[in-house]
Structures are given as structure tokens and as C-alpha cells.
Amino acid sequence: ELKVEQNPLFLSMQEGKNYTIYCNYSTTSDRLYWYRQDPGKSLESLFVLLSNGAVKQEGRLMASLDTKARLSTLHITAAVHDLSATYFCAVARRETSGSRLTFGEGTQLTVNP
Amino acid sequence: DARVTQTPRHKVTEMGQEVTMRCQPILGHNTVFWYRQTMMQGLELLAYFRNRAPLDDSGMPKDRFSAEMPDATLATLKIQPSEPRDSAVYFCASGLVLGQVHEQYFGPGTRLTVT
């Protein structure tokens, strides 16, 4: 059974600081997704990482994937209040149907002024 | 701007009643997913379809839940009879599978409360 673990689950940080959210998964996969969810809202796709060593950046967020370590990171640079949200990673099983995602528990990020 | 739509957005019902949630996937997408989100369990996949055929519904309680895609523009999730433990937010997502690569786009969700 594929397990996806995120840490930390709760993160409170000050504006302007940097931090990293980690996502570990238990079985082989070559696709990893990061989503953002604001309170009471739906999930918004942030990044899709498709291969070992993949790195993607959008604004103050940068995601990377190490398939050998089964680890993805979401790095936040110079955080701003607008980044406050819950961030989920999700891993696709390597199976013939190719579509099933298993989500981590989510990291609730609060950026304080 | 193409979006997944879900109706109703909110539903309050009494235990034992039937609940039907509807989803319109993004036009041209060939996969549809139903997820349930609760504080305790997080995001759970209930069922998914590709080209309208059910591929996996192992996450769904079979005795009371059913999911169908009567046509390419409509997916339904039905609970009969509903129970208080079914209270959750139910998300529909759609995606386009090209080989093994795709993204899932989530709808706004249906917030279900069963009293």
C-alpha cells in the first residue's frame, strides 16, 4: 500500500523567512503533485513533477523530486501572508491505469506579519 | 475558462435520506475522480472513471454508495441511505490522461451534513 507522509503538518512562520515542506512516499512512483487548498476552498494544482531531479518554480515556491530517495520538497522563499494555506503532496502509483493519486495529510502553513 | 462544476455546493439532510451529488467534468477530459475530505481521514479517493468506465471504486462503501457516469458530461455520486458519518466535503476532479501523464482539476466541492 502506498503511503505518503508530509512534515511538518503545521508550520507557522514569519514573513520574509524561508522554509521547506517535505513529502516522503513509500513505493516507487515517477509522478508527484503539489496542491494548495485555502480554507473552505477547493484544491489548486501547483506543480507536477515527472522525473527524478525535476525542479519547478513559481513565484516564491519551488518544488523538487528525488525518486531514488522517494522524497519531494516544497521550498518557500521569503514567505508572504498570501501563502498561508494547506499544501498537499500527492503521489501517483505506477500502475497500468496510471491515474490513482494518494494524498499526504497536508501541511497547514500560517505566515505571520 | 474551463472548470469542473459540482452541485449542490451545500447539502443538509437527515439520516436515512438519499443524497445525490453531481459533477460536470471539464469538456474533453477522460478521467473523473470522486474524493471525500474530512478532518480525521484527510483526502480519500472514493472512485474513478476513465472514458466513463469505472476503474476503481475500492474506496467506496459499497452498501450505500454508488458512482456512475451516465454520459461524458455528468458524473454522479449517490449515498443511500445517508448516515451522520458521511458528513464531509466531496470533491470531484477531472483530468486528461495522455499516456501516463495528467493533472487533476478539482471542482469546488459539495459540503454534506447529515444530521
Side-chain angles (χ1 to χ4, degrees):
Chain A
E1 181 189 348
L2 173 58
K3 292 186 179 178
V4 182
E5 294 182 344
Q6 290 181 234
N7 73 85
L9 299 183
F10 299 93
L11 176 56
S12 180
M13 56 191 297
Q14 283 189 309
E15 280 191 328
K17 299 292 187 183
N18 305 332
Y19 209 82
T20 300
I21 299 170
Y22 298 88
C23 174
N24 290 90
Y25 54 98
S26 61
T27 63
T28 302
S29 174
D30 54 5
R31 285 174 293 132
L32 190 135
Y33 303 76
W34 283 97
Y35 288 87
R36 168 182 173 146
Q37 186 178 36
D38 291 294
K41 303 292 187 182
S42 186
L43 280 80
E44 174 193 351
S45 179
L46 294 175
F47 301 108
V48 182
L49 302 169
L50 299 176
S51 60
N52 187 40
V55 177
K56 289 197 174 179
Q57 182 162 6
E58 180 74 34
R60 301 174 188 274
L61 300 178
M62 183 173 71
S64 65
L65 178 62
D66 181 342
T67 58
K68 293 178 183 176
R70 298 177 186 167
L71 171 69
S72 179
T73 60
L74 181 66
H75 187 73
I76 303 154
T77 302
V80 293
H81 180 69
D82 285 352
L83 289 179
S84 298
T86 299
Y87 293 85
F88 291 92
C89 65
V91 177
R93 285 186 193 168
R94 184 179 281 179
E95 59 188 22
T96 53
S97 62
S99 300
R100 185 187 180 97
L101 293 185
T102 300
F103 282 79
E105 310 98 314
T107 297
Q108 188 175 315
L109 171 65
T110 303
V111 181
N112 303 303
Chain B
D1 143 59
R3 297 184 187 186
V4 176
T5 58
Q6 289 184 247
T7 56
R9 295 291 307 277
H10 301 272
K11 176 73 176 179
V12 180
T13 192
E14 291 184 348
M15 183 173 63
Q17 297 298 305
E18 178 178 302
V19 175
T20 299
M21 291 169 270
R22 293 176 174 82
C23 167
Q24 182 172 10
I26 293 172
L27 189 64
H29 281 186
N30 60 0
T31 54
V32 172
F33 306 82
W34 283 105
Y35 291 92
R36 174 170 63 184
Q37 186 176 37
T38 61
M39 289 295 292
M40 294 299 295
Q41 300 297 327
L43 270 161
E44 304 173 276
L45 177 68
L46 297 175
Y48 81 92
F49 296 79
R50 181 183 289 191
N51 297 323
R52 294 178 56 203
L55 284 192
D56 187 347
D57 61 2
S58 59
M60 206 163 62
K62 301 289 191 304
D63 56 338
R64 298 184 301 108
F65 284 60
S66 62
E68 295 180 345
M69 275 201 78
D71 62 60
T73 64
L74 177 65
T76 62
L77 179 66
K78 188 176 295 187
I79 308 173
Q80 167 62 20
S82 58
E83 297 181 2
R85 60 182 167 147
D86 301 329
S87 298
V89 180
Y90 291 81
F91 288 105
C92 173
S94 74
L96 177 63
V97 176
L98 297 173
Q100 292 286 344
V101 179
H102 80 289
E103 288 189 60
Q104 295 184 20
Y105 296 87
F106 281 72
T110 294
R111 183 173 295 275
L112 174 65
T113 303
V114 183
T115 60

